[in-house]
Amino acid sequence: MSGISAEVRMKVLLLGGTGEARHLADLLALDPGVEVVSSLAGRTLEARLPTGEVRQGGFGGVEGLISWLSLHQIDAVVDATHPFAATMTTHATTACHHLNLPHLVLRRPGWTEAEGDRWHRTPTPEAAANLLPTLGTRALLTTGRQGLSAFAPAGVWMLARCVDAPSPVPTWCELLLDRGPYELEGELELMRKWRIDVLVTKDSGGDMTSAKLTAARQLRVPVVVIERPPLPADVTVVSHVDQVAEWLREHR
Ligand code: NAP
């Protein structure tokens, strides 16, 4: 934003739905030069709301987002969505390019394999489902309710852990509704109780859901890791919330 005076606040759309986005909203609430509107898709029941102004629900595709950004006189967009929210990230990239708005993606690093891990990386849930019968007979699915149906034909016993129940409720697996936080002891207990011999996860990254990977390593359970969708070309990406605050200072 050019020629901004100390009194004029920079208006930022913060695309959220993650722990980092909430953390960022907390941090930016302390900055008098920034006005933040957090945006949630609005599909999670009892979502954890970020500090400050929040809007919920889709924008109506790229066109809807362009209109919304213009109407609300947004100066910059920070995309702190989940690494697998690829549609939202693509829409935000296209809309910001169209309006020539500063745009930053906050993306936590993916997980890396440690000694003792037995990971199998796959590009899609369908590929993960195909691999399952070669690795185990009792799977814990932690990929969320979206895309769960890809596992229906896998032909092994499955326990699917989701924050909210999928609709329709699947009949081909056991369902466990849990939103975490997930600690190592709990993950070990869960895997032992259900005699899990293969774990399926997205490469979400971060600390909030990584205890299952440590539990799998300790129990010598193989892990199918679904790889992240690629980011659009030419986006500016940072991995920590402090870098976002710095980037915003540079764009005032
Ligand atoms: P997605 O597939 O990329 O987006 C589908 C549509 O949902 C978008 O086109 C947009 O609708 C709407 N949308 C998504 N994120 C939004 C946001 N922050 N604010 C307003 N509208 C949003 O996204 P998703 O994978 O369904 O994820 C939805 C939300 O859940 C995101 O906020 C994400 O951060 C969070 N989340 C996702 C995952 C995951 O594994 N995918 C995990 C944890 C949290 P319109 O086209 O109508 O604008």
Side-chain angles (χ1 to χ4, degrees):
M1 229 182 144
S2 60
I4 190 166
S5 73
E7 296 77 37
V8 179
R9 304 173 89 200
M10 181 190 202
K11 199 165 175 188
V12 177
L13 173 66
L14 171 54
L15 297 168
T18 59
E20 288 95 331
R22 287 191 299 275
H23 182 178
L24 190 55
D26 285 344
L27 194 74
L28 296 179
L30 304 173
D31 184 342
V34 176
E35 184 182 339
V36 175
V37 182
S38 290
S39 177
L40 303 177
R43 287 198 289 271
T44 306
L45 301 170
E46 296 175 35
R48 292 172 186 148
L49 294 181
T51 304
E53 188 179 339
V54 180
R55 66 159 303 282
Q56 299 202 49
F59 296 94
V62 176
E63 292 304 318
L65 180 56
I66 289 173
S67 302
W68 193 95
L69 291 168
S70 305
L71 184 69
H72 292 83
Q73 299 183 307
I74 296 295
D75 300 307
V77 175
V78 175
D79 179 348
T81 56
H82 190 271
F84 281 79
T87 305
M88 189 67 251
T89 295
T90 302
H91 288 182
T93 305
T94 309
C96 288
H97 185 73
H98 181 83
L99 295 171
N100 201 21
L101 279 184
H103 170 229
L104 183 69
V105 177
L106 171 63
R107 189 86 351 138
R108 61 182 96 134
W111 286 316
T112 48
E113 213 167 339
E115 198 178 334
D117 280 334
R118 297 165 58 201
W119 286 12
H120 302 261
R121 289 188 180 269
T122 62
T124 60
E126 289 74 16
N130 284 337
L131 202 57
L132 272 188
T134 69
L135 297 173
T137 57
R138 295 177 66 83
L140 172 59
L141 306 180
T142 61
T143 50
R145 61 184 162 151
Q146 285 184 66
L148 196 59
S149 57
F151 292 92
V156 300
W157 183 92
M158 286 173 268
L159 172 65
R161 181 168 69 187
C162 307
V163 173
D164 294 317
S167 177
V169 172
T171 51
W172 46 269
C173 66
E174 294 285 331
L175 200 58
L176 173 63
L177 299 185
D178 189 359
R179 62 161 58 224
Y182 307 110
E183 305 293 341
L184 178 59
E185 278 315 308
E187 298 293 54
L188 285 167
E189 194 182 319
L190 177 76
M191 288 193 207
R192 286 190 183 115
K193 174 181 166 188
W194 292 96
R195 292 179 284 115
I196 298 300
D197 60 10
V198 56
L199 170 68
V200 185
T201 180
K202 292 173 176 170
D203 183 9
S204 298
D207 299 335
M208 286 172 71
T209 58
S210 62
K212 62 190 170 189
L213 300 172
T214 311
R217 185 182 312 134
Q218 291 188 8
L219 298 172
R220 307 184 65 76
V221 164
V223 184
V224 181
V225 180
I226 302 171
E227 289 169 338
R228 295 175 171 200
L231 279 166
D234 298 330
V235 288
T236 307
V237 187
V238 296
S239 54
H240 294 104
V241 292
D242 292 346
Q243 295 168 289
V244 179
E246 199 181 310
W247 180 87
L248 285 172
R249 277 194 294 275
E250 284 166 10
H251 285 82
R252 269 175 228 179

